[in-house]
Amino acid sequence: MQITRRQLMATGTALLATSALPRRGWTQTTLALGDAELITLSDGNLELPADFIFGPMPQEELGPVLSGFGIDRGAALTPPCNVTLLRRGDTLALFDAGSGLAFQPGVGRLPEALDAAGIDPFDITHVIFTHGHPDHLWGVLDDFDEPFFPDAEHMMGAVEFDYWMDDGTVASIGAERAAFAVGAQRRLEVIADRMTRIADGDEVLPGVIAALTPGHTPGHLAFAVDGRAMILGDAIGNDHVAFARPGWISGSDQDPAMAAQTRLALFDRITADDMAVVGFHCGHGGIGRVERLSEGFAFRPAT
């Protein structure tokens, strides 16, 4: 009996799900948009030092804001990672690919979440990247360093793709992120022949429009779906300070000043168009609405 790679991958995914019990993947939240459906799938949780985000913020003003969210300034942060699946007709499109198993121990759960949702990686038709950071890109390869979604068309912003493929990025990105650049280039080299380069304003799928949202990374893209929902990626990187004080710079952004400008412009667009949002690192499954407050904004989860 000849064992195909499809059978091998299916067996590996099932074993991964079994070995990880009880930390199974799950479908968290669903947003219906006419004939389309957005589903968030958990890839797990990161663990980050608080200063990774809060370090450059005005500390005296930060304290009361964090207190309002019940966040301990001295504790590590454990942001969720919500990979978005778009289901419409024969299209099964993932926005980002999760972390894989080579980044942090709390992430890499997307294969379990897909299995829990009854989705075979071979059934994914498109993988569309917001940007090239590890928690969004590194899950694109399997344990054999082959594409985990072998039948999918892969899409990434041309600016973002060129940035990570540039040999000079490793030297210029800073020592703390150098591994990000090495890891991104290695994975993008494997999938380069199946990568479609996209740009601001492109309709990447029917009703799905790319929006350049730079700052977190140079070519970060968000995606508007049917003009009714915005897949944020890390353009708005959490559901607390990024909403409450979007103009404050964050240590998680590669160009903090530009990222703050992007957040403010994006909030203006989302609220003006009354769009739902899907946040990669927002709680409660990541799907919700944005409420404008007297100062800043608030994330109102769908569940």
Side-chain angles (χ1 to χ4, degrees):
M1 173 181 168
Q2 183 178 6
I3 298 176
T4 67
R5 183 166 173 268
R6 176 188 284 266
Q7 291 169 324
L8 185 62
M9 284 185 64
T11 302
T13 299
L15 287 173
L16 177 61
T18 302
S19 66
L21 291 175
R23 298 160 106 186
R24 66 177 180 85
W26 62 93
T27 301
Q28 294 181 321
T29 310
T30 301
L31 176 66
L33 295 173
D35 65 342
E37 187 177 44
L38 293 177
I39 305 165
T40 55
L41 302 169
S42 176
D43 192 48
N45 294 77
L46 296 173
E47 183 167 341
L48 304 172
D51 277 347
F52 184 72
I53 293 177
F54 301 142
M57 295 179 179
Q59 298 300 301
E60 289 187 6
E61 298 173 61
L62 176 64
V65 173
L66 294 184
S67 178
F69 290 99
I71 296 174
D72 180 350
R73 173 67 178 84
L77 301 174
T78 56
C81 297
N82 307 302
V83 176
T84 301
L85 176 74
L86 169 66
R87 188 197 303 269
R88 172 181 272 152
D90 294 332
T91 296
L92 276 177
L94 280 178
F95 291 83
D96 295 324
S99 297
L101 299 178
F103 186 42
Q104 288 192 3
V107 287
R109 306 283 192 256
L110 180 61
E112 301 165 49
L114 288 167
D115 184 66
I119 298 170
D120 190 314
F122 285 83
D123 295 332
I124 298 298
T125 59
H126 302 79
V127 181
I128 305 169
F129 297 100
T130 61
H131 65 296
H133 278 166
D135 49 330
H136 298 255
L137 171 65
W138 285 17
V140 76
L141 300 185
D142 63 21
D143 291 345
F144 303 95
D145 278 348
E146 296 181 16
F148 188 69
F149 306 101
D151 293 340
E153 178 182 1
H154 293 59
M155 301 181 182
M156 179 178 274
V159 172
E160 188 76 1
F161 182 85
D162 290 345
Y163 174 75
W164 294 110
M165 291 297 285
D166 185 343
D167 289 337
T169 296
V170 174
S172 63
I173 198 173
E176 70 282 358
R177 287 186 170 96
F180 291 10
V182 173
Q185 187 176 96
R186 182 173 74 79
R187 288 160 177 82
L188 291 174
E189 285 174 347
V190 174
I191 60 173
D193 62 346
R194 63 185 67 209
M195 182 70 76
T196 298
R197 292 149 58 93
I198 57 179
D200 183 38
D202 284 355
E203 187 173 26
V204 299
L205 292 172
V208 180
I209 309 298
L212 183 63
T213 45
H216 185 69
T217 61
H220 187 287
L221 293 175
F223 296 91
V225 182
D226 296 345
R228 297 170 58 191
M230 184 70 73
I231 297 171
L232 300 171
D234 283 2
I236 299 172
N238 58 67
D239 57 11
H240 39 83
V241 178
F243 277 76
R245 300 294 184 270
W248 287 359
I249 63 173
S250 169
S252 64
D253 298 320
Q254 292 184 212
D255 185 333
M258 180 179 289
Q261 294 175 6
T262 291
R263 280 192 295 275
L264 291 166
L266 197 50
F267 275 129
D268 283 344
R269 176 179 175 181
I270 290 165
T271 53
D273 294 343
D274 191 25
M275 303 175 81
V277 294
V278 187
F280 193 88
H281 294 303
C282 291
H284 303 278
I287 297 177
R289 314 291 299 191
V290 177
E291 180 182 353
R292 186 185 290 271
L293 305 178
S294 59
E295 184 176 8
F297 302 84
F299 175 69
R300 302 303 186 204
T303 57

